[in-house]
Amino acid sequence: MGQADALPNPAPLVVVGAGPGGYAAAFLAADLGLEVVLVDPEPNPGGVCLYRGCIPSKALLHVAAVIAEARRAADWGVKFTKPKIDLERMRAWKDEVVSKMTGGLGQLMRSRKIHHIQGRAVFLDARTLQIETTSGERRSLGFEHAIVATGSSPVSLPGFPPYSSRILDSTGALEIAEIPKRLLVVGGGYIGLELGSVYAALGSKVTVVELMPSLLPGVDPDLVRPLARKLKGEFDGILLRTKVAAVEERAASVKVMLEGPDVDKPQRTVDQVLVSVGRRPNSGGLGLENTAVRIDDQGFIGVDAQLRTAEPSIFAIGDVVGQPMLAHKASHEGRTAVEAIAGHKVAFEKAAIPAVVFTDPEVAWCGLTEAEAKQQQRQVSVARFPWAASGRAQTLGRGDGLTKLIIDLETERILGVGLVGPGAGELIAEGVLAVEMAALATDLKLSIHPHPTLSETLMEAAEVFFGQSTHVHRPRRR
Ligand SMILES: Cc1cc2nc3c(=O)[nH]c(=O)nc-3n(C[C@H](O)[C@H](O)[C@H](O)COP(=O)(O)OP(=O)(O)OC[C@H]3O[C@@H](n4cnc5c(N)ncnc54)[C@H](O)[C@@H]3O)c2cc1C
């Protein structure tokens, strides 16, 4: 139990769960001078994001990008031979990235003198936790404040066989135990498309099945279109409005039955199935029924703008409190909760929480979308800058991108930004700053962007709004 033995009981603050929400909260609390206990089953902080989410998936996507780039280099007069995949080395590299990052977080935790208990916590009441350590010890710990940061888990589909070496969830898929000849991805959300892209680059024939009429349901169709077009060339099949009606695991394969208007071959045999149909909050089994904390019918913990639950001593943050289930949202909520506990006047009121899909091309957006503007009947103008007109995009052989600004017609404030193209995930940060700082289209237009870069597409999209883009001739519509 380590430093926990030297702990005052009650502890001023206990953080339950050490994902990007929990560890960011614990670290800030320690920086503000609070004595903190951090409880999590893993040996080091990191949570889903570092151990089985954002970081390992991005390490593998980097491998996929290298393979794709080497293939495309033939267009530029450089021919590489077919890549030889050393799966063991690839896995080791991914694991090295994870252990470097989580080990670093462990050091940061220790240098801040945070008490770490490796185990699981359950609420006995609004002031007491029972903690069972991974070594089997049980102890109760009082607290003045607690932050629930227990994250989320993959949803499993009713009627599906349990997860196995053939029926994978995202955690199993990240293990890349083998490269299946045929992989069926159930769910065309960001996790399915990211992991599907990894396997396709490694040589699997990937088919994606999505219940809704488009990939990345809910995402701006202007941004999804270029990605869907590219994935059509890389995946063996993309079946929209399609349901997996039955799954039967066999010794060496999986038999699936598909249903949908576009399904020409309802019965298929594949080597593995990846189920990526969403995530559910980890709010059960925490003993929250012993407190006044409220949980909605989807399992999310109810919180106010300071992330305080209905129980004044208990706060909750991250995936367990709601969408968007993203690491950076969790971290910012964690920091807000800690500031509230420290007595600062704060609220979590973000105008822009960016979202990024790390496929090729990447898709990224923040703030108001075009569809939301329509729904809310807001008077906006949508300025689009196609990357075909960007010098930098052409030097990369990637004229297929798009930058899009949603601009308030009256105030000319930038309300939302959408991007699709390589590097969109990095570029969206400028959009976040613009939206959060209430920048006007003029601010973006007059800020000199370096040439030749993809960032110029944001400046030129603002120029498009005024009908004055250097590289797109499109008079302003009044
Ligand atoms: C494959 C994949 C890729 C992803 N890619 C991205 C991405 O690119 N960008 C992004 O922003 N997000 C991504 N996400 C989502 C991201 O991982 C989550 O939004 C983020 O981890 C949520 O952080 P959190 O702190 O709320 O909880 P989590 O990271 O889920 O951490 C919760 C922690 O609490 C622990 N815990 C649970 N119950 C208890 C208990 N009773 N006692 C003690 N500890 C407990 C868990 O073991 C876990 O360590 C991805 C997710 C997956 C699965």
Side-chain angles (χ1 to χ4, degrees):
M1 199 165 296
Q3 296 181 55
D5 292 327
L7 196 73
N9 200 348
L13 175 64
V14 182
V15 180
V16 181
Y23 77 73
F27 287 11
L28 178 65
D31 293 344
L32 294 178
L34 272 172
E35 200 159 4
V36 188
V37 182
L38 182 57
V39 189
D40 189 278
E42 299 286 352
N44 280 310
V48 167
C49 173
L50 277 97
Y51 284 100
R52 44 191 181 275
C54 325
I55 298 300
S57 62
K58 266 79 249 181
L60 294 178
L61 277 160
H62 179 63
V63 175
V66 170
I67 295 171
E69 203 69 349
R71 197 176 304 135
R72 280 159 14 87
D75 290 350
W76 315 320
V78 185
K79 269 203 182 130
F80 292 98
T81 49
K82 197 169 174 255
K84 255 196 189 154
I85 310 288
D86 177 347
L87 205 52
E88 211 165 299
R89 181 65 210 123
M90 191 190 301
R91 214 180 293 127
W93 178 70
K94 172 202 58 147
D95 293 343
E96 280 159 26
V97 173
V98 170
S99 58
K100 205 182 290 171
M101 296 301 301
T102 51
L105 288 173
Q107 277 174 10
L108 289 169
M109 175 177 70
R110 285 185 290 279
S111 70
R112 286 179 160 97
K113 308 226 176 311
I114 290 169
H115 304 270
H116 176 222
I117 304 181
Q118 202 181 337
R120 294 194 160 268
V122 173
F123 286 86
L124 295 179
D125 58 43
R127 295 275 174 190
T128 323
L129 283 163
Q130 173 154 292
I131 300 169
E132 182 159 357
T133 68
T134 41
S135 56
E137 267 176 78
R138 254 192 203 182
R139 68 182 290 170
S140 71
L141 179 68
F143 61 83
E144 285 165 33
H145 286 104
I147 298 179
V148 182
T150 48
S152 62
S153 307
V155 167
S156 43
L157 280 171
F160 263 57
Y163 290 121
S164 65
S165 59
R166 300 212 167 270
I167 317 263
L168 310 173
D169 62 5
S170 58
T171 308
L174 284 168
E175 288 303 318
I176 43 168
E178 58 181 285
I179 303 171
K181 277 208 178 77
R182 296 150 304 177
L183 173 72
L184 185 86
V185 177
V186 186
Y190 83 93
I191 292 178
L193 297 189
E194 287 184 5
L195 292 175
S197 300
V198 168
Y199 278 90
L202 296 177
S204 297
K205 282 185 180 307
V206 175
T207 301
V208 175
V209 171
E210 167 56 52
L211 201 55
M212 303 301 281
S214 116
L215 293 177
L216 298 176
V219 179
D220 183 340
D222 279 351
L223 307 181
V224 177
R225 216 169 291 120
L227 171 64
R229 210 178 299 132
K230 187 138 186 300
L231 289 182
K232 236 177 222 166
E234 281 156 24
F235 288 175
D236 206 39
I238 297 176
L239 296 167
L240 303 173
R241 297 183 295 168
T242 302
K243 188 177 148 189
V244 180
V247 182
E248 193 188 311
E249 190 175 349
R250 296 174 162 190
S253 63
V254 186
K255 209 172 108 185
V256 291
M257 282 293 291
L258 305 178
E259 268 177 23
D262 307 323
V263 177
D264 54 353
K265 221 176 95 198
Q267 191 172 312
R268 311 219 173 178
T269 303
V270 294
D271 303 289
Q272 284 184 330
V273 174
L274 161 61
V275 182
S276 52
V277 290
R279 299 183 61 81
R280 59 175 171 74
N282 292 332
S283 55
L286 286 177
L288 291 171
E289 62 283 3
N290 303 324
T291 70
V293 172
R294 285 198 207 111
I295 298 173
D296 72 14
D297 49 12
Q298 290 181 66
F300 291 116
I301 297 178
V303 287
D304 65 13
Q306 290 197 320
L307 290 313
R308 195 185 298 267
T309 68
E311 184 69 70
S313 58
I314 302 175
F315 288 66
I317 59 167
D319 283 8
V320 79
V321 304
Q323 302 288 354
M325 288 188 176
L326 293 170
H328 40 276
K329 187 214 69 158
S331 304
H332 276 265
E333 285 181 341
R335 293 172 67 90
T336 304
V338 164
E339 289 194 47
I341 290 167
H344 302 184
K345 273 194 174 172
V346 283
F348 187 80
E349 282 172 355
K350 303 293 178 195
I353 301 175
V356 181
V357 183
F358 290 85
T359 41
D360 180 18
E362 291 180 356
V363 177
W365 66 97
C366 73
L368 195 74
T369 64
E370 193 177 351
E372 284 165 352
K374 257 193 205 125
Q375 247 169 32
Q376 297 169 19
Q377 298 184 327
R378 294 186 68 157
Q379 298 297 307
V380 297
S381 171
V382 179
R384 290 179 177 80
F385 184 82
W387 287 21
S390 152
R392 186 61 181 135
Q394 292 298 349
T395 65
L396 302 171
R398 297 306 297 268
D400 55 343
L402 175 75
T403 296
K404 193 170 163 178
L405 302 178
I406 315 296
I407 299 166
D408 186 90
L409 260 188
E410 197 186 317
T411 62
E412 300 190 348
R413 255 184 73 173
I414 296 162
L415 302 176
V417 179
L419 290 154
V420 55
E426 301 289 340
L427 292 172
I428 197 63
E430 180 173 347
V432 174
L433 197 64
V435 175
E436 286 290 355
M437 301 291 288
L440 305 182
T442 308
D443 297 322
L444 212 49
K445 182 182 82 157
L446 294 181
S447 301
I448 300 180
H449 285 62
H451 179 72
T453 64
L454 297 171
S455 72
E456 288 170 295
T457 66
L458 286 150
M459 175 185 71
E460 289 226 30
E463 292 174 0
V464 166
F465 170 70
F466 294 103
Q468 299 167 1
S469 160
T470 308
H471 298 99
V472 170
H473 183 222
R474 193 173 298 149
R476 187 176 187 184
R477 272 185 285 144
R478 290 175 194 277

